[in-house]
Amino acid sequence: VIEPAGTARPPALWIEVPSDFQELLARSPSSAVRWHGALRQQFLWALGEGYVVTGLHRDRFTARSYYLLETR
């Protein structure tokens, strides 16, 4: 993620994760590998920028899951 000069960082970020990674891995190993790589990059960036994981949310309507990261 590249931020334009003078742009304030958001106080919180949501990073989507597969709700059932094991099922994804069984159904489509190549998709699981891509998800894993993308999540690694996103988390490395966010943690390196001072964000910390403060929660995990599963949307009951869509069954999508997200980690909540916030600045401290």
Side-chain angles (χ1 to χ4, degrees):
V1 175
I2 299 174
E3 298 175 19
T7 302
R9 291 185 324 164
L13 303 173
W14 292 94
I15 296 179
E16 185 173 6
V17 295
S19 293
D20 188 344
F21 192 82
Q22 292 303 315
E23 190 273 330
L24 174 63
L25 183 60
R27 187 184 70 224
S28 178
S30 61
S31 291
V33 167
R34 286 192 303 275
W35 263 103
H36 185 268
L39 288 170
R40 177 175 164 71
Q41 288 181 329
Q42 292 172 2
F43 274 103
L44 285 174
W45 176 86
L47 297 173
E49 291 293 316
Y51 288 90
V52 295
V53 177
T54 58
L56 176 63
H57 173 74
R58 182 175 175 136
D59 186 297
R60 64 184 172 142
F61 299 109
T62 65
R64 294 169 74 177
S65 298
Y66 305 86
Y67 277 101
L68 173 61
L69 292 88
E70 299 178 277
T71 56
R72 294 285 176 175

